[in-house]
């Protein structure tokens, strides 16, 4: 069973700039692909944005204050727009966490953005997922944590942020991660004998 949308089908996948942007914005693109939407990076006219096909004649556009910067780390907030593919003037701003936007208190956090996107009325919705972790201390008991049941994009973004917190703030190193296309993410982290496993599962598994 395919759980993640295919890569875009065009010749730009061999372009170094496209590959750089696709990798830089992987934390945005991967949750949208797990929501089963083909997701691309558009590079026309020197401006960059992420675009996902919602399969109903509309598309999701994600930018920042203007164009996306070349490095995702430089984003200071997200704007998500749903627009008609045939008539782009017909569009709705779904979310704006840039410095002057109504969701500015979320800054560049992905989870509130993806939660708003998961709330869209779209066909062929992906299954709802759950992110959980198990922590095993040396010579001690294990501890379990769960974020509850969420939409697919939100859960994958949460998996990414939990993983980043472990490696970026808590001193863990990632020792293994399940290959992305096979099924839902699973990763193992280690720090001085402490083992933490973070996983995504279907809510009905």
């Amino acid at each position: 069973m395919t759980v993640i949308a295919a890569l875009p089908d065009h010749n730009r996948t061999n372009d170094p700039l496209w590959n750089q942007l696709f990798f830089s914005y992987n934390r945005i693109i991967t949750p949208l692909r797990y929501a089963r939407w083909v997701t691309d990076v558009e590079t026309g006219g020197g401006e960059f944005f992420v675009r996902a096909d919602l399969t109903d004649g509309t598309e999701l556009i994600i930018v920042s204050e203007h164009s996306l910067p070349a490095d995702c780390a430089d984003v200071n907030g997200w704007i998500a727009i749903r627009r008609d593919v045939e008539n782009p003037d017909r569009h709705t701003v779904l979310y704006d966490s840039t410095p002057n936007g109504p969701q500015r208190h979320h800054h560049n956090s992905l989870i509130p953005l993806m939660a708003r996107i998961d709330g869209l009325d779209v066909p062929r919705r992906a299954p709802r997922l759950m992110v959980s972790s198990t922590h095993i201390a040396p010579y001690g008991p294990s501890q379990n944590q769960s974020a509850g049941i969420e939409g697919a994009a939100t859960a994958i973004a949460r998996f990414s942020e939990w993983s980043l917190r472990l490696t970026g703030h808590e001193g863990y190193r990632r020792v293994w991660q399940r290959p992305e296309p096979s099924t839902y993410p699973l990763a193992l982290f280690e720090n001085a004998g402490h083992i933490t496993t973070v996983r995504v599962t279907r809510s009905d598994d």
Side-chain angles (χ1 to χ4, degrees), residues 165-194:
R165 185 187 69 211
L166 287 168
T167 57
H169 302 287
E170 298 185 18
Y172 281 78
R173 64 186 181 93
R174 191 193 317 257
V175 295
W176 180 79
Q177 181 163 336
R178 177 186 285 161
E180 186 175 272
S182 60
T183 183
Y184 297 108
L186 170 69
L188 184 68
F189 302 85
E190 187 272 338
N191 180 15
H194 293 259

mmCIF file of all heavy atoms in Angstrom, residues 165-194:
data_model
loop_
_atom_site.group_PDB
_atom_site.id
_atom_site.type_symbol
_atom_site.label_atom_id
_atom_site.label_comp_id
_atom_site.label_asym_id
_atom_site.label_seq_id
_atom_site.Cartn_x
_atom_site.Cartn_y
_atom_site.Cartn_z
ATOM 1 N N ARG A 165 13.989 18.019 18.115
ATOM 2 C CA ARG A 165 14.205 18.376 19.520
ATOM 3 C C ARG A 165 15.205 17.421 20.173
ATOM 4 O O ARG A 165 16.083 17.843 20.928
ATOM 5 C CB ARG A 165 12.882 18.338 20.280
ATOM 6 C CG ARG A 165 12.984 18.812 21.736
ATOM 7 C CD ARG A 165 11.677 18.590 22.464
ATOM 8 N NE ARG A 165 11.411 17.177 22.663
ATOM 9 C CZ ARG A 165 10.198 16.632 22.703
ATOM 10 N NH1 ARG A 165 9.130 17.382 22.520
ATOM 11 N NH2 ARG A 165 10.062 15.342 22.910
ATOM 12 N N LEU A 166 15.093 16.136 19.861
ATOM 13 C CA LEU A 166 16.009 15.148 20.450
ATOM 14 C C LEU A 166 17.442 15.398 20.006
ATOM 15 O O LEU A 166 18.368 15.381 20.818
ATOM 16 C CB LEU A 166 15.577 13.730 20.068
ATOM 17 C CG LEU A 166 14.332 13.186 20.764
ATOM 18 C CD1 LEU A 166 13.859 11.903 20.076
ATOM 19 C CD2 LEU A 166 14.616 12.910 22.245
ATOM 20 N N THR A 167 17.639 15.629 18.706
ATOM 21 C CA THR A 167 19.003 15.779 18.183
ATOM 22 C C THR A 167 19.540 17.189 18.364
ATOM 23 O O THR A 167 20.737 17.387 18.536
ATOM 24 C CB THR A 167 19.056 15.399 16.699
ATOM 25 O OG1 THR A 167 18.129 16.209 15.962
ATOM 26 C CG2 THR A 167 18.710 13.928 16.504
ATOM 27 N N GLY A 168 18.660 18.190 18.327
ATOM 28 C CA GLY A 168 19.124 19.568 18.375
ATOM 29 C C GLY A 168 19.194 20.166 19.760
ATOM 30 O O GLY A 168 19.945 21.125 19.986
ATOM 31 N N HIS A 169 18.429 19.606 20.726
ATOM 32 C CA HIS A 169 18.350 20.228 22.046
ATOM 33 C C HIS A 169 18.648 19.274 23.197
ATOM 34 O O HIS A 169 18.992 19.724 24.288
ATOM 35 C CB HIS A 169 16.967 20.849 22.254
ATOM 36 C CG HIS A 169 16.607 21.870 21.218
ATOM 37 N ND1 HIS A 169 17.175 23.119 21.180
ATOM 38 C CD2 HIS A 169 15.759 21.810 20.167
ATOM 39 C CE1 HIS A 169 16.684 23.800 20.157
ATOM 40 N NE2 HIS A 169 15.822 23.026 19.528
ATOM 41 N N GLU A 170 18.486 17.968 22.981
ATOM 42 C CA GLU A 170 18.631 17.029 24.088
ATOM 43 C C GLU A 170 19.851 16.123 23.964
ATOM 44 O O GLU A 170 20.029 15.215 24.769
ATOM 45 C CB GLU A 170 17.355 16.199 24.235
ATOM 46 C CG GLU A 170 16.135 17.054 24.553
ATOM 47 C CD GLU A 170 14.881 16.238 24.812
ATOM 48 O OE1 GLU A 170 15.004 15.021 25.083
ATOM 49 O OE2 GLU A 170 13.773 16.810 24.742
ATOM 50 N N GLY A 171 20.686 16.358 22.965
ATOM 51 C CA GLY A 171 21.957 15.648 22.874
ATOM 52 C C GLY A 171 21.896 14.246 22.320
ATOM 53 O O GLY A 171 22.865 13.487 22.417
ATOM 54 N N TYR A 172 20.790 13.854 21.716
ATOM 55 C CA TYR A 172 20.672 12.517 21.126
ATOM 56 C C TYR A 172 21.272 12.495 19.722
ATOM 57 O O TYR A 172 21.386 13.535 19.065
ATOM 58 C CB TYR A 172 19.209 12.087 21.040
ATOM 59 C CG TYR A 172 18.627 11.593 22.345
ATOM 60 C CD1 TYR A 172 18.226 12.490 23.342
ATOM 61 C CD2 TYR A 172 18.466 10.233 22.591
ATOM 62 C CE1 TYR A 172 17.679 12.046 24.536
ATOM 63 C CE2 TYR A 172 17.918 9.779 23.787
ATOM 64 C CZ TYR A 172 17.526 10.691 24.753
ATOM 65 O OH TYR A 172 16.991 10.237 25.932
ATOM 66 N N ARG A 173 21.609 11.309 19.272
ATOM 67 C CA ARG A 173 21.989 11.108 17.873
ATOM 68 C C ARG A 173 21.052 10.068 17.274
ATOM 69 O O ARG A 173 20.662 9.105 17.938
ATOM 70 C CB ARG A 173 23.444 10.667 17.735
ATOM 71 C CG ARG A 173 23.762 9.322 18.356
ATOM 72 C CD ARG A 173 25.244 9.004 18.323
ATOM 73 N NE ARG A 173 25.513 7.694 18.902
ATOM 74 C CZ ARG A 173 25.577 6.576 18.193
ATOM 75 N NH1 ARG A 173 25.424 6.608 16.884
ATOM 76 N NH2 ARG A 173 25.814 5.409 18.788
ATOM 77 N N ARG A 174 20.677 10.298 16.042
ATOM 78 C CA ARG A 174 19.815 9.349 15.340
ATOM 79 C C ARG A 174 20.669 8.163 14.898
ATOM 80 O O ARG A 174 21.645 8.351 14.153
ATOM 81 C CB ARG A 174 19.153 10.006 14.138
ATOM 82 C CG ARG A 174 18.038 9.179 13.504
ATOM 83 C CD ARG A 174 17.646 9.747 12.151
ATOM 84 N NE ARG A 174 17.542 11.183 12.150
ATOM 85 C CZ ARG A 174 16.406 11.848 12.178
ATOM 86 N NH1 ARG A 174 15.262 11.207 12.227
ATOM 87 N NH2 ARG A 174 16.399 13.172 12.168
ATOM 88 N N VAL A 175 20.339 6.967 15.339
ATOM 89 C CA VAL A 175 21.130 5.799 14.969
ATOM 90 C C VAL A 175 20.474 4.980 13.869
ATOM 91 O O VAL A 175 21.140 4.161 13.221
ATOM 92 C CB VAL A 175 21.418 4.907 16.201
ATOM 93 C CG1 VAL A 175 22.283 5.644 17.203
ATOM 94 C CG2 VAL A 175 20.130 4.423 16.868
ATOM 95 N N TRP A 176 19.179 5.176 13.640
ATOM 96 C CA TRP A 176 18.503 4.453 12.556
ATOM 97 C C TRP A 176 17.171 5.110 12.262
ATOM 98 O O TRP A 176 16.506 5.635 13.165
ATOM 99 C CB TRP A 176 18.258 2.999 12.957
ATOM 100 C CG TRP A 176 17.571 2.182 11.887
ATOM 101 C CD1 TRP A 176 18.141 1.635 10.781
ATOM 102 C CD2 TRP A 176 16.170 1.871 11.814
ATOM 103 N NE1 TRP A 176 17.186 0.992 10.028
ATOM 104 C CE2 TRP A 176 15.977 1.111 10.647
ATOM 105 C CE3 TRP A 176 15.086 2.157 12.643
ATOM 106 C CZ2 TRP A 176 14.730 0.635 10.263
ATOM 107 C CZ3 TRP A 176 13.829 1.685 12.264
ATOM 108 C CH2 TRP A 176 13.665 0.922 11.090
ATOM 109 N N GLN A 177 16.786 5.122 10.984
ATOM 110 C CA GLN A 177 15.450 5.562 10.602
ATOM 111 C C GLN A 177 14.955 4.709 9.457
ATOM 112 O O GLN A 177 15.708 4.417 8.518
ATOM 113 C CB GLN A 177 15.420 7.039 10.207
ATOM 114 C CG GLN A 177 14.014 7.519 9.830
ATOM 115 C CD GLN A 177 13.878 9.027 9.831
ATOM 116 O OE1 GLN A 177 14.630 9.731 10.498
ATOM 117 N NE2 GLN A 177 12.900 9.539 9.097
ATOM 118 N N ARG A 178 13.696 4.297 9.542
ATOM 119 C CA ARG A 178 13.087 3.487 8.492
ATOM 120 C C ARG A 178 13.081 4.277 7.187
ATOM 121 O O ARG A 178 12.768 5.470 7.179
ATOM 122 C CB ARG A 178 11.664 3.136 8.914
ATOM 123 C CG ARG A 178 10.869 2.344 7.881
ATOM 124 C CD ARG A 178 9.437 2.194 8.359
ATOM 125 N NE ARG A 178 9.328 1.220 9.425
ATOM 126 C CZ ARG A 178 8.307 1.148 10.262
ATOM 127 N NH1 ARG A 178 7.335 2.044 10.191
ATOM 128 N NH2 ARG A 178 8.261 0.222 11.190
ATOM 129 N N PRO A 179 13.424 3.642 6.067
ATOM 130 C CA PRO A 179 13.407 4.356 4.781
ATOM 131 C C PRO A 179 12.041 4.957 4.511
ATOM 132 O O PRO A 179 11.000 4.324 4.730
ATOM 133 C CB PRO A 179 13.749 3.255 3.769
ATOM 134 C CG PRO A 179 14.507 2.237 4.557
ATOM 135 C CD PRO A 179 13.900 2.251 5.932
ATOM 136 N N GLU A 180 12.022 6.205 4.011
ATOM 137 C CA GLU A 180 10.801 6.997 3.898
ATOM 138 C C GLU A 180 9.690 6.358 3.073
ATOM 139 O O GLU A 180 8.542 6.325 3.521
ATOM 140 C CB GLU A 180 11.146 8.378 3.333
ATOM 141 C CG GLU A 180 9.996 9.340 3.288
ATOM 142 C CD GLU A 180 10.446 10.710 2.847
ATOM 143 O OE1 GLU A 180 10.851 11.504 3.686
ATOM 144 O OE2 GLU A 180 10.396 10.969 1.627
ATOM 145 N N PRO A 181 9.939 5.841 1.860
ATOM 146 C CA PRO A 181 8.799 5.417 1.043
ATOM 147 C C PRO A 181 8.124 4.134 1.520
ATOM 148 O O PRO A 181 7.053 3.798 1.033
ATOM 149 C CB PRO A 181 9.417 5.202 -0.344
ATOM 150 C CG PRO A 181 10.752 5.864 -0.297
ATOM 151 C CD PRO A 181 11.191 5.764 1.133
ATOM 152 N N SER A 182 8.726 3.379 2.423
ATOM 153 C CA SER A 182 8.217 2.050 2.736
ATOM 154 C C SER A 182 6.908 2.072 3.512
ATOM 155 O O SER A 182 5.962 1.376 3.177
ATOM 156 C CB SER A 182 9.271 1.247 3.504
ATOM 157 O OG SER A 182 9.604 1.906 4.717
ATOM 158 N N THR A 183 6.841 2.842 4.568
ATOM 159 C CA THR A 183 5.635 2.955 5.377
ATOM 160 C C THR A 183 5.771 4.213 6.240
ATOM 161 O O THR A 183 6.526 5.112 5.889
ATOM 162 C CB THR A 183 5.418 1.682 6.222
ATOM 163 O OG1 THR A 183 4.186 1.801 6.939
ATOM 164 C CG2 THR A 183 6.558 1.433 7.183
ATOM 165 N N TYR A 184 5.074 4.277 7.355
ATOM 166 C CA TYR A 184 5.131 5.487 8.175
ATOM 167 C C TYR A 184 6.452 5.559 8.935
ATOM 168 O O TYR A 184 7.075 4.539 9.228
ATOM 169 C CB TYR A 184 3.939 5.516 9.127
ATOM 170 C CG TYR A 184 2.632 5.591 8.377
ATOM 171 C CD1 TYR A 184 1.777 4.496 8.312
ATOM 172 C CD2 TYR A 184 2.282 6.751 7.703
ATOM 173 C CE1 TYR A 184 0.594 4.567 7.595
ATOM 174 C CE2 TYR A 184 1.095 6.822 6.979
ATOM 175 C CZ TYR A 184 0.255 5.726 6.932
ATOM 176 O OH TYR A 184 -0.900 5.799 6.215
ATOM 177 N N PRO A 185 6.914 6.781 9.282
ATOM 178 C CA PRO A 185 8.255 6.950 9.861
ATOM 179 C C PRO A 185 8.425 6.275 11.224
ATOM 180 O O PRO A 185 7.506 6.214 12.037
ATOM 181 C CB PRO A 185 8.395 8.474 9.994
ATOM 182 C CG PRO A 185 7.437 9.036 8.999
ATOM 183 C CD PRO A 185 6.288 8.080 8.973
ATOM 184 N N LEU A 186 9.656 5.809 11.432
ATOM 185 C CA LEU A 186 10.087 5.222 12.693
ATOM 186 C C LEU A 186 11.575 5.522 12.822
ATOM 187 O O LEU A 186 12.333 5.310 11.876
ATOM 188 C CB LEU A 186 9.849 3.713 12.697
ATOM 189 C CG LEU A 186 10.447 2.898 13.847
ATOM 190 C CD1 LEU A 186 9.739 3.220 15.155
ATOM 191 C CD2 LEU A 186 10.341 1.404 13.546
ATOM 192 N N ALA A 187 12.006 6.053 13.967
ATOM 193 C CA ALA A 187 13.418 6.396 14.152
ATOM 194 C C ALA A 187 13.854 6.033 15.564
ATOM 195 O O ALA A 187 13.058 6.067 16.513
ATOM 196 C CB ALA A 187 13.660 7.874 13.888
ATOM 197 N N LEU A 188 15.140 5.707 15.678
ATOM 198 C CA LEU A 188 15.740 5.304 16.947
ATOM 199 C C LEU A 188 16.862 6.280 17.283
ATOM 200 O O LEU A 188 17.717 6.579 16.437
ATOM 201 C CB LEU A 188 16.303 3.881 16.822
ATOM 202 C CG LEU A 188 16.893 3.231 18.066
ATOM 203 C CD1 LEU A 188 15.805 2.948 19.090
ATOM 204 C CD2 LEU A 188 17.601 1.923 17.685
ATOM 205 N N PHE A 189 16.869 6.790 18.530
ATOM 206 C CA PHE A 189 17.844 7.779 18.976
ATOM 207 C C PHE A 189 18.538 7.267 20.243
ATOM 208 O O PHE A 189 17.934 6.555 21.054
ATOM 209 C CB PHE A 189 17.149 9.109 19.288
ATOM 210 C CG PHE A 189 16.388 9.686 18.134
ATOM 211 C CD1 PHE A 189 15.077 9.280 17.882
ATOM 212 C CD2 PHE A 189 16.961 10.615 17.291
ATOM 213 C CE1 PHE A 189 14.356 9.808 16.822
ATOM 214 C CE2 PHE A 189 16.250 11.150 16.227
ATOM 215 C CZ PHE A 189 14.948 10.737 15.987
ATOM 216 N N GLU A 190 19.814 7.664 20.413
ATOM 217 C CA GLU A 190 20.587 7.200 21.564
ATOM 218 C C GLU A 190 21.379 8.352 22.162
ATOM 219 O O GLU A 190 21.881 9.221 21.445
ATOM 220 C CB GLU A 190 21.543 6.085 21.141
ATOM 221 C CG GLU A 190 22.285 5.408 22.265
ATOM 222 C CD GLU A 190 23.593 6.109 22.634
ATOM 223 O OE1 GLU A 190 24.127 6.845 21.781
ATOM 224 O OE2 GLU A 190 24.060 5.901 23.771
ATOM 225 N N ASN A 191 21.465 8.363 23.503
ATOM 226 C CA ASN A 191 22.269 9.356 24.210
ATOM 227 C C ASN A 191 22.749 8.741 25.513
ATOM 228 O O ASN A 191 21.948 8.578 26.453
ATOM 229 C CB ASN A 191 21.456 10.625 24.482
ATOM 230 C CG ASN A 191 22.253 11.680 25.223
ATOM 231 O OD1 ASN A 191 23.484 11.608 25.314
ATOM 232 N ND2 ASN A 191 21.561 12.665 25.776
ATOM 233 N N ALA A 192 24.034 8.385 25.573
ATOM 234 C CA ALA A 192 24.654 7.852 26.795
ATOM 235 C C ALA A 192 23.852 6.705 27.386
ATOM 236 O O ALA A 192 23.596 6.645 28.593
ATOM 237 C CB ALA A 192 24.821 8.968 27.826
ATOM 238 N N GLY A 193 23.464 5.780 26.546
ATOM 239 C CA GLY A 193 22.730 4.612 27.011
ATOM 240 C C GLY A 193 21.229 4.792 27.083
ATOM 241 O O GLY A 193 20.496 3.822 27.294
ATOM 242 N N HIS A 194 20.732 6.006 26.922
ATOM 243 C CA HIS A 194 19.291 6.257 26.867
ATOM 244 C C HIS A 194 18.818 6.037 25.430
ATOM 245 O O HIS A 194 19.419 6.571 24.488
ATOM 246 C CB HIS A 194 18.973 7.686 27.300
ATOM 247 C CG HIS A 194 19.253 7.958 28.741
ATOM 248 N ND1 HIS A 194 18.273 7.990 29.693
ATOM 249 C CD2 HIS A 194 20.429 8.198 29.395
ATOM 250 C CE1 HIS A 194 18.800 8.243 30.881
ATOM 251 N NE2 HIS A 194 20.118 8.378 30.729
#
